[in-house]
Coordinates of all heavy atoms in Angstrom, one line a residue:
M26 N 65.3 13.0 -32.5 CA 64.1 12.2 -32.3 C 64.0 11.9 -30.8 O 63.0 11.6 -30.3 CB 64.1 11.0 -33.1 CG 63.8 11.3 -34.6 SD 63.7 9.8 -35.5 CE 64.4 10.2 -37.0
L27 N 65.2 11.9 -30.2 CA 65.2 11.6 -28.7 C 64.6 12.8 -27.9 O 63.8 12.6 -27.0 CB 66.6 11.3 -28.3 CG 66.8 10.8 -26.9 CD1 66.2 9.4 -26.8 CD2 68.3 10.6 -26.6
K28 N 64.9 14.0 -28.3 CA 64.4 15.2 -27.6 C 63.1 15.7 -28.2 O 62.2 16.0 -27.4 CB 65.4 16.3 -27.8 CG 66.4 16.5 -26.7 CD 67.3 17.7 -27.0 CE 68.0 18.2 -25.8 NZ 68.8 19.3 -26.1
L29 N 63.0 15.9 -29.5 CA 61.9 16.6 -30.1 C 60.8 15.6 -30.7 O 59.7 16.1 -31.1 CB 62.4 17.5 -31.1 CG 63.3 18.6 -30.7 CD1 63.9 19.4 -31.8 CD2 62.7 19.5 -29.6
G30 N 61.1 14.4 -30.9 CA 60.2 13.5 -31.5 C 60.3 13.6 -33.0 O 61.1 14.2 -33.6
A31 N 59.3 12.9 -33.7 CA 59.3 12.9 -35.1 C 57.8 13.1 -35.6 O 56.9 12.5 -35.0 CB 59.8 11.6 -35.7
P32 N 57.6 14.0 -36.5 CA 56.2 14.1 -37.1 C 55.8 12.8 -37.8 O 56.6 12.1 -38.3 CB 56.3 15.2 -38.1 CG 57.7 15.7 -38.1 CD 58.5 14.8 -37.2
T33 N 54.5 12.5 -37.7 CA 53.9 11.4 -38.4 C 53.8 11.7 -39.9 O 53.8 12.9 -40.3 CB 52.6 11.0 -37.9 OG1 51.7 12.1 -38.1 CG2 52.6 10.7 -36.4
L34 N 53.7 10.7 -40.7 CA 53.5 11.0 -42.2 C 52.2 11.7 -42.4 O 52.1 12.4 -43.4 CB 53.5 9.6 -42.9 CG 54.9 9.1 -43.2 CD1 54.9 7.7 -43.8 CD2 55.7 10.0 -44.0
S35 N 51.2 11.5 -41.6 CA 49.9 12.2 -41.8 C 50.1 13.7 -41.4 O 49.5 14.5 -42.1 CB 48.8 11.6 -41.0 OG 49.1 11.6 -39.6
D36 N 50.9 14.0 -40.4 CA 51.2 15.4 -40.1 C 52.1 16.1 -41.0 O 52.0 17.3 -41.3 CB 51.7 15.5 -38.7 CG 50.7 15.2 -37.6 OD1 49.5 15.3 -37.9 OD2 51.1 14.9 -36.5
W37 N 53.1 15.3 -41.5 CA 54.2 15.9 -42.4 C 54.4 14.9 -43.5 O 55.4 14.2 -43.5 CB 55.4 16.1 -41.6 CG 56.6 16.8 -42.3 CD1 57.8 16.2 -42.6 CD2 56.7 18.0 -42.9 NE1 58.6 17.0 -43.3 CE2 57.9 18.2 -43.4 CE3 55.8 19.1 -42.9 CZ2 58.3 19.3 -44.1 CZ3 56.2 20.3 -43.6 CH2 57.4 20.4 -44.1
P38 N 53.5 14.9 -44.5 CA 53.6 13.9 -45.6 C 54.8 14.1 -46.5 O 55.2 15.2 -46.7 CB 52.3 14.0 -46.4 CG 51.8 15.4 -46.0 CD 52.3 15.7 -44.6
Y39 N 55.4 13.0 -46.9 CA 56.5 13.0 -47.9 C 55.9 13.4 -49.2 O 55.0 12.8 -49.7 CB 57.2 11.7 -47.9 CG 58.3 11.7 -48.9 CD1 59.5 12.3 -48.6 CD2 58.1 11.1 -50.2 CE1 60.5 12.3 -49.6 CE2 59.1 11.1 -51.1 CZ 60.3 11.7 -50.8 OH 61.4 11.8 -51.7
S40 N 56.6 14.3 -49.9 CA 56.3 14.6 -51.3 C 57.5 14.6 -52.1 O 58.5 15.4 -51.9 CB 55.7 16.0 -51.3 OG 55.6 16.5 -52.7
A41 N 57.6 13.7 -53.1 CA 58.8 13.6 -53.9 C 59.0 14.9 -54.7 O 60.2 15.3 -54.9 CB 58.6 12.4 -54.9
V42 N 58.0 15.5 -55.1 CA 58.1 16.8 -55.8 C 58.7 17.9 -54.9 O 59.7 18.5 -55.2 CB 56.8 17.3 -56.4 CG1 56.9 18.6 -57.0 CG2 56.3 16.2 -57.4
K43 N 58.1 18.0 -53.7 CA 58.6 19.0 -52.7 C 60.0 18.7 -52.3 O 60.9 19.6 -52.2 CB 57.6 19.0 -51.5 CG 58.1 19.9 -50.4 CD 57.2 19.9 -49.3 CE 57.2 18.6 -48.5 NZ 56.5 18.5 -47.3
N44 N 60.3 17.4 -52.0 CA 61.6 17.0 -51.4 C 62.7 16.9 -52.5 O 63.8 16.8 -52.1 CB 61.4 15.8 -50.6 CG 60.6 16.1 -49.3 OD1 60.8 17.1 -48.7 ND2 59.8 15.1 -48.9
A45 N 62.3 16.9 -53.7 CA 63.3 16.8 -54.8 C 64.1 18.0 -54.8 O 65.3 18.0 -55.1 CB 62.7 16.5 -56.1
T46 N 63.5 19.2 -54.5 CA 64.3 20.4 -54.5 C 64.9 20.7 -53.2 O 66.0 21.4 -53.1 CB 63.4 21.6 -54.8 OG1 62.3 21.6 -53.9 CG2 62.8 21.4 -56.3
N47 N 64.4 20.2 -52.1 CA 65.0 20.5 -50.7 C 64.7 19.3 -49.8 O 63.7 19.4 -49.0 CB 64.5 21.8 -50.2 CG 65.2 22.1 -48.9 OD1 66.1 21.4 -48.4 ND2 64.8 23.2 -48.2
Y48 N 65.4 18.3 -49.9 CA 65.2 17.1 -49.0 C 65.5 17.3 -47.6 O 65.2 16.5 -46.7 CB 65.9 15.9 -49.6 CG 67.4 16.0 -49.5 CD1 68.1 15.5 -48.4 CD2 68.1 16.6 -50.6 CE1 69.5 15.7 -48.4 CE2 69.5 16.7 -50.5 CZ 70.2 16.2 -49.4 OH 71.5 16.4 -49.4
L49 N 66.1 18.4 -47.2 CA 66.4 18.8 -45.9 C 65.4 19.6 -45.2 O 65.6 20.1 -44.1 CB 67.8 19.5 -45.8 CG 69.0 18.6 -46.3 CD1 70.3 19.5 -46.3 CD2 69.2 17.4 -45.4
E50 N 64.3 19.9 -45.9 CA 63.3 20.8 -45.3 C 62.7 20.2 -44.0 O 62.5 19.0 -43.9 CB 62.2 20.9 -46.4 CG 61.1 21.9 -46.0 CD 60.1 22.1 -47.1 OE1 60.2 21.6 -48.2 OE2 59.1 22.8 -46.8
W51 N 62.4 21.1 -43.1 CA 61.8 20.7 -41.8 C 60.4 21.4 -41.7 O 60.2 22.5 -42.3 CB 62.7 21.2 -40.7 CG 63.9 20.4 -40.5 CD1 65.1 20.5 -41.2 CD2 64.1 19.2 -39.7 NE1 66.0 19.6 -40.8 CE2 65.4 18.8 -39.9 CE3 63.2 18.6 -38.8 CZ2 65.9 17.7 -39.2 CZ3 63.7 17.5 -38.1 CH2 65.0 17.1 -38.3
P52 N 59.5 20.8 -41.0 CA 58.2 21.5 -40.7 C 58.4 22.8 -40.0 O 59.3 22.9 -39.1 CB 57.5 20.5 -39.8 CG 58.3 19.3 -39.8 CD 59.6 19.6 -40.3
R53 N 57.7 23.8 -40.4 CA 57.8 25.1 -39.8 C 56.5 25.5 -39.0 O 56.3 26.6 -38.5 CB 58.0 26.2 -40.8 CG 59.4 26.1 -41.3 CD 59.6 27.0 -42.5 NE 59.2 26.1 -43.6 CZ 59.4 26.2 -44.9 NH1 59.9 27.2 -45.3 NH2 59.0 25.3 -45.7
T54 N 55.6 24.5 -38.8 CA 54.4 24.8 -38.1 C 54.5 24.2 -36.6 O 54.8 23.1 -36.4 CB 53.2 24.0 -38.8 OG1 53.2 24.4 -40.2 CG2 51.9 24.4 -38.2
A55 N 54.2 25.1 -35.7 CA 54.3 24.7 -34.3 C 53.4 23.5 -33.9 O 53.8 22.7 -33.1 CB 53.9 25.9 -33.4
A56 N 52.2 23.4 -34.5 CA 51.3 22.3 -34.3 C 51.9 21.0 -34.6 O 51.7 20.0 -33.9 CB 50.0 22.5 -35.0
I57 N 52.7 20.9 -35.7 CA 53.4 19.7 -36.1 C 54.4 19.3 -35.0 O 54.5 18.1 -34.6 CB 54.0 19.8 -37.5 CG1 53.0 20.0 -38.6 CG2 54.9 18.7 -37.8 CD1 53.5 20.3 -39.9
W58 N 55.1 20.2 -34.5 CA 56.1 19.9 -33.5 C 55.5 19.5 -32.2 O 56.0 18.7 -31.4 CB 57.1 21.0 -33.4 CG 58.0 21.1 -34.5 CD1 58.0 22.0 -35.5 CD2 59.0 20.2 -34.9 NE1 59.0 21.7 -36.5 CE2 59.6 20.6 -36.1 CE3 59.5 19.0 -34.3 CZ2 60.6 19.9 -36.8 CZ3 60.5 18.3 -35.0 CH2 61.0 18.7 -36.2
R59 N 54.4 20.2 -31.8 CA 53.7 19.8 -30.6 C 53.2 18.4 -30.7 O 53.2 17.6 -29.7 CB 52.5 20.8 -30.3 CG 53.0 22.1 -29.7 CD 51.8 22.9 -29.2 NE 50.9 23.3 -30.2 CZ 51.0 24.4 -30.9 NH1 52.1 25.2 -30.7 NH2 50.2 24.8 -31.8
S60 N 52.7 18.0 -31.9 CA 52.3 16.6 -32.1 C 53.5 15.6 -32.1 O 53.4 14.5 -31.6 CB 51.5 16.5 -33.4 OG 51.1 15.2 -33.6
A61 N 54.6 16.0 -32.7 CA 55.8 15.2 -32.8 C 56.4 14.8 -31.5 O 57.0 13.7 -31.3 CB 56.9 15.9 -33.6
I62 N 56.2 15.6 -30.4 CA 56.8 15.3 -29.1 C 56.2 14.0 -28.6 O 56.8 13.4 -27.7 CB 56.5 16.5 -28.2 CG1 57.5 16.5 -27.0 CG2 55.1 16.6 -27.6 CD1 58.9 17.0 -27.3
N63 N 55.1 13.6 -29.1 CA 54.5 12.3 -28.6 C 55.2 11.1 -29.3 O 54.8 10.0 -28.9 CB 53.0 12.3 -28.9 CG 52.2 13.4 -28.2 OD1 52.4 13.5 -27.0 ND2 51.4 14.1 -28.8
N64 N 56.0 11.4 -30.2 CA 56.7 10.3 -30.9 C 58.2 10.3 -30.7 O 59.0 10.3 -31.6 CB 56.4 10.4 -32.4 CG 55.0 10.4 -32.7 OD1 54.2 9.6 -32.2 ND2 54.5 11.4 -33.5
R65 N 58.6 10.5 -29.4 CA 60.0 10.5 -29.1 C 60.6 9.1 -28.9 O 59.8 8.2 -28.4 CB 60.3 11.3 -27.8 CG 60.1 12.8 -28.1 CD 60.4 13.5 -26.8 NE 59.3 13.3 -25.9 CZ 59.2 13.9 -24.7 NH1 60.1 14.7 -24.3 NH2 58.1 13.7 -24.0
F66 N 61.9 8.9 -29.1 CA 62.5 7.7 -28.7 C 62.7 7.7 -27.2 O 63.0 8.7 -26.6 CB 63.9 7.6 -29.4 CG 63.9 7.4 -30.9 CD1 65.1 7.5 -31.5 CD2 62.8 7.1 -31.6 CE1 65.2 7.3 -32.9 CE2 62.8 7.0 -32.9 CZ 64.0 7.0 -33.6
S67 N 62.5 6.5 -26.6 CA 62.8 6.4 -25.2 C 64.2 6.2 -24.9 O 64.7 6.6 -23.8 CB 61.9 5.3 -24.6 OG 62.2 4.1 -25.1
T68 N 64.9 5.6 -25.8 CA 66.4 5.3 -25.6 C 67.0 5.1 -27.0 O 66.3 4.8 -28.0 CB 66.6 4.1 -24.7 OG1 67.9 3.9 -24.4 CG2 66.0 2.8 -25.4
V69 N 68.3 5.2 -27.0 CA 69.0 5.0 -28.2 C 70.2 4.1 -27.9 O 70.7 4.0 -26.8 CB 69.5 6.3 -28.9 CG1 68.4 7.1 -29.4 CG2 70.4 7.1 -28.0
G70 N 70.7 3.4 -28.9 CA 71.9 2.5 -28.7 C 72.6 2.4 -30.0 O 72.3 3.0 -31.0
R71 N 73.6 1.5 -30.0 CA 74.4 1.3 -31.2 C 74.7 -0.2 -31.3 O 75.0 -0.9 -30.3 CB 75.7 2.0 -31.0 CG 76.7 1.7 -32.1 CD 77.9 2.6 -32.0 NE 77.6 3.8 -32.7 CZ 78.3 4.9 -32.5 NH1 79.4 5.0 -31.7 NH2 78.0 6.0 -33.2
V72 N 74.6 -0.8 -32.5 CA 75.0 -2.1 -32.7 C 76.5 -2.1 -33.1 O 76.8 -1.5 -34.2 CB 74.2 -2.8 -33.8 CG1 74.7 -4.2 -34.2 CG2 72.7 -2.8 -33.4
Q73 N 77.3 -2.7 -32.3 CA 78.8 -2.7 -32.6 C 79.1 -3.8 -33.6 O 78.4 -4.8 -33.7 CB 79.6 -2.9 -31.3 CG 79.4 -1.9 -30.3 CD 80.0 -0.5 -30.7 OE1 81.0 -0.5 -31.4 NE2 79.4 0.5 -30.2
D74 N 80.1 -3.5 -34.5 CA 80.6 -4.5 -35.4 C 79.6 -5.1 -36.3 O 79.5 -6.4 -36.4 CB 81.4 -5.6 -34.6 CG 82.5 -5.1 -33.8 OD1 83.2 -4.2 -34.3 OD2 82.7 -5.5 -32.6
I75 N 78.7 -4.3 -36.9 CA 77.6 -4.7 -37.7 C 78.2 -5.5 -38.9 O 77.4 -6.3 -39.5 CB 76.8 -3.5 -38.2 CG1 75.5 -4.0 -38.8 CG2 77.5 -2.6 -39.2 CD1 74.5 -4.5 -37.8
Q76 N 79.4 -5.4 -39.3 CA 80.0 -6.1 -40.4 C 80.3 -7.6 -40.1 O 80.6 -8.4 -41.0 CB 81.3 -5.4 -40.9 CG 82.5 -5.6 -40.0 CD 82.5 -4.6 -38.9 OE1 81.6 -3.9 -38.6 NE2 83.6 -4.6 -38.2
T77 N 80.2 -8.0 -38.8 CA 80.4 -9.3 -38.4 C 79.1 -10.1 -38.3 O 78.0 -9.6 -38.3 CB 81.1 -9.4 -37.1 OG1 80.2 -8.9 -36.1 CG2 82.4 -8.6 -37.1
D78 N 79.2 -11.5 -38.3 CA 78.1 -12.3 -38.2 C 77.3 -12.0 -36.9 O 76.1 -11.9 -36.8 CB 78.4 -13.8 -38.2 CG 78.9 -14.3 -39.6 OD1 78.5 -13.6 -40.6 OD2 79.6 -15.3 -39.7
A79 N 78.1 -11.8 -35.8 CA 77.5 -11.5 -34.5 C 76.8 -10.2 -34.5 O 75.6 -10.1 -33.9 CB 78.6 -11.5 -33.4
G80 N 77.3 -9.2 -35.2 CA 76.7 -7.9 -35.2 C 75.4 -8.0 -36.0 O 74.4 -7.4 -35.7
R81 N 75.4 -8.7 -37.1 CA 74.2 -8.8 -37.9 C 73.1 -9.6 -37.2 O 72.0 -9.3 -37.3 CB 74.5 -9.5 -39.3 CG 75.2 -8.5 -40.3 CD 75.3 -9.1 -41.6 NE 76.2 -10.3 -41.7 CZ 77.6 -10.2 -41.7 NH1 78.2 -9.0 -41.8 NH2 78.3 -11.3 -41.8
E82 N 73.5 -10.6 -36.4 CA 72.5 -11.4 -35.6 C 71.9 -10.5 -34.5 O 70.7 -10.6 -34.3 CB 73.2 -12.6 -35.0 CG 73.5 -13.7 -36.0 CD 72.3 -14.1 -36.8 OE1 71.2 -14.3 -36.2 OE2 72.4 -14.3 -38.0
T83 N 72.7 -9.6 -34.0 CA 72.2 -8.6 -33.0 C 71.2 -7.7 -33.6 O 70.1 -7.5 -33.1 CB 73.4 -7.8 -32.4 OG1 74.3 -8.7 -31.7 CG2 72.9 -6.8 -31.4
A84 N 71.5 -7.2 -34.8 CA 70.6 -6.3 -35.5 C 69.3 -7.0 -35.8 O 68.2 -6.5 -35.7 CB 71.2 -5.8 -36.8
K85 N 69.4 -8.3 -36.3 CA 68.2 -9.0 -36.6 C 67.3 -9.3 -35.4 O 66.1 -9.2 -35.4 CB 68.5 -10.3 -37.3 CG 69.0 -10.2 -38.7 CD 69.1 -11.5 -39.4 CE 70.5 -12.1 -39.4 NZ 70.6 -13.3 -40.2
A86 N 68.0 -9.6 -34.3 CA 67.2 -9.8 -33.0 C 66.5 -8.5 -32.6 O 65.4 -8.6 -32.1 CB 68.2 -10.3 -31.9
L87 N 67.2 -7.4 -32.7 CA 66.5 -6.1 -32.3 C 65.3 -5.9 -33.2 O 64.2 -5.5 -32.7 CB 67.5 -5.0 -32.4 CG 68.6 -5.0 -31.4 CD1 69.7 -4.0 -31.8 CD2 68.0 -4.6 -30.0
I88 N 65.4 -6.1 -34.5 CA 64.3 -5.9 -35.4 C 63.2 -6.8 -35.0 O 62.0 -6.4 -35.0 CB 64.7 -6.0 -36.9 CG1 65.7 -4.9 -37.3 CG2 63.5 -6.1 -37.8 CD1 66.3 -5.1 -38.6
N89 N 63.5 -8.1 -34.8 CA 62.5 -9.1 -34.4 C 61.8 -8.7 -33.1 O 60.6 -9.1 -32.9 CB 63.1 -10.5 -34.3 CG 63.4 -11.0 -35.7 OD1 62.7 -10.7 -36.7 ND2 64.4 -11.9 -35.8
N90 N 62.5 -8.0 -32.3 CA 61.9 -7.6 -31.0 C 61.2 -6.2 -31.0 O 60.8 -5.6 -30.0 CB 62.9 -7.6 -29.9 CG 63.3 -9.0 -29.5 OD1 62.4 -9.9 -29.4 ND2 64.6 -9.3 -29.4
G91 N 61.0 -5.7 -32.2 CA 60.2 -4.4 -32.4 C 61.0 -3.1 -32.3 O 60.4 -2.1 -32.3
Y92 N 62.3 -3.2 -32.3 CA 63.1 -2.0 -32.3 C 63.2 -1.4 -33.7 O 63.2 -2.1 -34.7 CB 64.5 -2.3 -31.7 CG 64.5 -2.5 -30.2 CD1 64.3 -3.8 -29.7 CD2 64.7 -1.5 -29.3 CE1 64.3 -4.0 -28.4 CE2 64.7 -1.7 -28.0 CZ 64.5 -3.0 -27.5 OH 64.5 -3.2 -26.1
V93 N 63.5 -0.1 -33.7 CA 63.7 0.6 -35.0 C 65.2 0.8 -35.2 O 65.9 1.2 -34.2 CB 63.0 2.0 -35.0 CG1 63.4 2.8 -36.3 CG2 61.5 1.9 -34.8
L94 N 65.8 0.4 -36.3 CA 67.2 0.6 -36.5 C 67.4 1.6 -37.6 O 66.7 1.6 -38.7 CB 67.8 -0.8 -37.0 CG 67.8 -1.9 -36.0 CD1 68.5 -3.1 -36.5 CD2 68.4 -1.5 -34.7
L95 N 68.3 2.5 -37.4 CA 68.7 3.5 -38.3 C 70.1 3.2 -38.8 O 70.9 2.8 -38.0 CB 68.6 4.9 -37.7 CG 67.3 5.4 -37.2 CD1 67.4 6.7 -36.5 CD2 66.2 5.4 -38.2
Y96 N 70.3 3.5 -40.1 CA 71.7 3.2 -40.6 C 72.3 4.5 -41.1 O 71.6 5.2 -41.8 CB 71.5 2.2 -41.7 CG 72.8 1.9 -42.4 CD1 73.8 1.0 -41.8 CD2 73.1 2.4 -43.6 CE1 75.0 0.8 -42.4 CE2 74.3 2.1 -44.3 CZ 75.2 1.3 -43.7 OH 76.4 1.1 -44.3
G97 N 73.5 4.7 -40.8 CA 74.2 5.9 -41.3 C 75.6 5.4 -41.8 O 76.2 4.5 -41.4
T98 N 76.0 6.1 -42.8 CA 77.3 5.8 -43.4 C 78.0 7.1 -43.9 O 77.4 8.1 -44.1 CB 77.2 4.8 -44.6 OG1 78.5 4.4 -45.0 CG2 76.4 5.4 -45.7
D99 N 79.3 7.0 -44.1 CA 80.0 8.1 -44.6 C 80.1 7.9 -46.2 O 80.9 7.1 -46.6 CB 81.4 8.2 -44.0 CG 82.3 9.3 -44.6 OD1 81.8 10.1 -45.4 OD2 83.4 9.5 -44.2
I100 N 79.2 8.5 -46.9 CA 79.1 8.2 -48.3 C 80.3 8.7 -49.1 O 80.6 8.2 -50.2 CB 77.8 8.9 -48.9 CG1 77.5 8.3 -50.2 CG2 77.9 10.4 -48.9 CD1 76.1 8.6 -50.7
Y101 N 81.1 9.6 -48.5 CA 82.3 10.1 -49.2 C 83.6 9.5 -48.8 O 84.6 9.9 -49.2 CB 82.4 11.6 -49.0 CG 81.2 12.4 -49.6 CD1 80.2 13.0 -48.8 CD2 81.0 12.5 -51.0 CE1 79.2 13.6 -49.4 CE2 80.0 13.1 -51.6 CZ 79.0 13.7 -50.8 OH 78.0 14.3 -51.3
A102 N 83.5 8.4 -48.0 CA 84.7 7.7 -47.5 C 85.5 7.2 -48.7 O 86.8 7.1 -48.6 CB 84.3 6.6 -46.6
W103 N 84.9 6.8 -49.8 CA 85.7 6.3 -50.9 C 86.6 7.3 -51.5 O 87.5 7.0 -52.3 CB 84.7 5.7 -51.9 CG 83.8 6.7 -52.5 CD1 82.6 7.1 -52.1 CD2 84.0 7.4 -53.8 NE1 82.1 8.0 -52.9 CE2 82.9 8.3 -54.0 CE3 85.0 7.4 -54.7 CZ2 82.8 9.1 -55.0 CZ3 84.9 8.3 -55.8 CH2 83.8 9.1 -55.9
L104 N 86.4 8.6 -51.3 CA 87.2 9.6 -51.9 C 88.5 9.8 -51.1 O 89.4 10.5 -51.7 CB 86.4 11.0 -51.8 CG 85.2 11.1 -52.7 CD1 84.5 12.4 -52.5 CD2 85.6 10.9 -54.2
R105 N 88.6 9.3 -50.0 CA 89.8 9.5 -49.2 C 90.9 8.5 -49.5 O 90.8 7.5 -49.9 CB 89.5 9.4 -47.7 CG 88.6 10.5 -47.2 CD 88.4 10.4 -45.8 NE 87.1 11.1 -45.5 CZ 86.2 10.6 -44.8 NH1 86.3 9.5 -44.2 NH2 85.1 11.3 -44.6

């Protein structure tokens, strides 16, 4: 999203039926990617220690100031 941007929902609508079989599908139309370039992130960062009160307060402040927060986790960590 930093380099290529992200398609809008109107350009690349979510379809539960379509995505149930392949949720990793990407748009294959050049026009969608040309439009997506207008929706790039200007910067990225990381909230450290999100499990602490200070980390959660930082995340809340960012959301209140209009930032977008993405969350990622290792879903298979419990297997180790």
Side-chain angles (χ1 to χ4, degrees):
M26 289 187 217
L27 192 61
K28 265 183 162 177
L29 302 174
T33 63
L34 281 174
S35 60
D36 287 342
W37 182 246
Y39 176 78
S40 167
V42 173
K43 175 180 71 176
N44 292 321
T46 57
N47 186 2
Y48 63 92
L49 297 175
E50 185 176 353
W51 286 85
R53 287 171 274 195
T54 307
I57 292 174
W58 288 109
R59 279 193 295 275
S60 177
I62 201 80
N63 296 314
N64 303 313
R65 288 183 286 183
F66 290 173
S67 60
T68 187
V69 295
R71 172 177 276 165
V72 176
Q73 298 293 329
D74 301 320
I75 193 75
Q76 74 278 9
T77 66
D78 288 339
R81 284 188 295 277
E82 290 303 316
T83 299
K85 286 193 260 183
L87 288 167
I88 291 169
N89 285 333
N90 288 315
Y92 288 88
V93 175
L94 297 183
L95 302 175
Y96 175 77
T98 187
D99 181 1
I100 196 166
Y101 297 108
W103 63 275
L104 294 173
R105 295 186 205 131

